[in-house]
Amino acid sequence: MKHFILGAAALVCATAAHAQSWDMPTPYGDSTFHTQNIAQFADDVRAATDGALDITLHSAGSLFPHAEIKGAVRNRSVPLGEFFLSRLSNEDLAFGVDSQPFVATSYEDAARLWAAQEPVITELLAEQGLIPLFSVPWPAQGLYTNGEIATVDDLNGLRFRAYNAALEEFATLVGAAPVQIEASNIPQAFATGQVEAMITSPSTGVNSTAWDFVTHYTAINAWVPKNIVVINQRMFDGLDADTQAAVLAAAEAAETRGWEMSAAEAESMTAALAENGITVYEPSATLIEGLQGIGETMLGTWDAAASDSARAVLNAYNN
Ligand code: PCA
């Protein structure tokens, strides 16, 4: 009897030791569709593994600040995490193609660009022991200001919120003053006068209640940037085959679902901006021409600094 009890206890321990709890950081808040999509991903993994792999999401940069998430996955502080893909453009410009103005401006373009980018960045991330699980775009990026913007000259001198190096370059080129602010800090940055204009999606505009601090929005649809979820290769390899398959299946479903959520939000969140009192206007031809000129300048700078990997992405996309 004693043996039996000990045996049963050992079995319980073995099962408990087998079940794994994983922490997953993301920079974005709970109302963000990306975060909701990842919560569903975690639920799917939990269900498919009967609770053997339990992923806990830590939103709004609560576990690691945005800039540290990739490194935390790399050094196995956490097994997996989400971040804004083009933030890695300082490592290789291949990561930043989706944030170059007027390269890919629709979901169709963005899907072709991701098809061109995925194999290249998969190789680059493998060198760091990281595997991409899925990538989902934000709705096309629009312009938030106080008052209507008729030409790029109207942006001159504005304190401009930026979220990556490309947007910082953009702001500088239009004569604005870029300030790096995380998405979850946008309301505070406007409230304190740190910034007075921004380019971001209708989703982030709504999530940060943009009507509290700007009056006008125009869908310049200049680029369709993506988030990416990466997993540490050694942590993935440490899972049994069934659990690995469950993670990959949930990731594939999350990518498909995330692109659909994004497209739905492009419309519903633009409508929500208007419903909350923001004046949503069509960009003038002059404004778009001016912005395209900035885009060309930026692409020239990009091209001069591009690695072979970065060029391979753009060539595959253009051909
Ligand atoms: N929202 C995020 C990234 C792009 C977007 O639409 C942000 O503004 O930080």
Side-chain angles (χ1 to χ4, degrees):
M1 185 63 187
K2 200 172 164 196
H3 273 114
F4 173 75
I5 291 169
L6 281 178
L11 194 69
V12 169
C13 283
T15 314
H18 191 69
Q20 298 198 56
S21 281
W22 278 8
D23 290 313
M24 176 172 185
T26 171
Y28 302 104
D30 290 330
S31 56
T32 308
F33 76 91
H34 288 280
T35 309
Q36 290 160 356
N37 188 36
I38 289 172
Q40 181 68 52
F41 162 77
D43 287 348
D44 288 353
V45 170
R46 206 176 295 112
T49 62
D50 288 327
L53 184 54
D54 183 17
I55 297 171
T56 304
L57 195 49
H58 300 269
S59 59
S62 55
L63 190 59
F64 287 99
H66 196 167
E68 291 174 24
I69 291 177
K70 193 212 70 177
V73 180
R74 190 176 177 182
N75 70 25
R76 284 180 289 136
S77 296
V78 285
L80 76 178
E82 183 195 40
F83 51 87
F84 194 57
L85 179 60
S86 57
R87 295 269 295 225
L88 301 190
S89 65
N90 62 336
E91 296 182 10
D92 193 305
L93 289 176
F95 292 111
V97 189
D98 67 14
S99 294
Q100 288 294 317
F102 301 105
V103 170
T105 59
S106 65
Y107 283 105
E108 291 70 30
D109 287 355
R112 283 196 306 110
L113 180 55
W114 177 226
Q117 207 177 14
E118 187 176 12
V120 175
I121 65 149
T122 298
E123 243 178 70
L124 293 171
L125 290 170
E127 290 165 13
Q128 305 185 32
L130 300 171
I131 311 172
L133 280 181
F134 58 93
S135 182
V136 170
W138 294 88
Q141 305 289 288
L143 177 63
Y144 296 76
T145 53
N146 280 303
E148 187 167 331
I149 297 296
T151 75
V152 283
D153 290 345
D154 294 343
L155 299 171
N156 196 27
L158 294 180
R159 290 184 298 281
F160 211 93
R161 183 254 168 171
Y163 53 55
N164 67 3
L167 198 40
E168 203 167 304
E169 183 185 359
F170 171 91
T172 306
L173 285 168
V174 299
V179 187
Q180 290 285 344
I181 305 282
E182 284 301 321
S184 39
N185 297 331
I186 289 172
Q188 202 199 352
F190 275 90
T192 59
Q194 230 185 330
V195 293
E196 54 195 335
M198 65 178 173
I199 289 180
T200 186
S201 58
S203 301
T204 297
V206 170
N207 294 159
S208 51
T209 59
W211 44 89
D212 288 343
F213 46 81
V214 293
T215 58
H216 283 65
Y217 173 79
T218 186
I220 57 172
N221 292 347
W223 60 93
V224 183
K226 295 181 295 293
N227 284 358
I228 191 162
V229 171
V230 301
I231 185 167
N232 183 286
Q233 172 92 53
R234 281 172 62 183
M235 298 300 293
F236 182 79
D237 291 347
L239 299 171
D240 63 48
D242 286 349
T243 308
Q244 286 182 349
V247 169
L248 294 178
E252 200 181 323
E255 183 157 299
T256 305
R257 184 177 58 240
W259 283 68
E260 289 166 2
M261 290 171 94
S262 182
E265 285 220 346
E267 288 191 20
S268 66
M269 294 294 148
T270 304
L273 290 174
E275 280 157 23
N276 283 284
I278 290 189
T279 304
V280 177
Y281 64 101
E282 285 296 314
S284 69
T286 323
L287 177 60
I288 290 297
E289 268 166 40
L291 293 170
Q292 282 170 342
I294 303 284
E296 272 165 38
T297 305
M298 287 177 66
L299 203 55
T301 311
W302 185 94
D303 193 57
S307 64
D308 290 346
S309 302
R311 287 228 168 72
V313 173
L314 200 58
N315 289 340
Y317 171 68
N318 284 332
N319 294 309

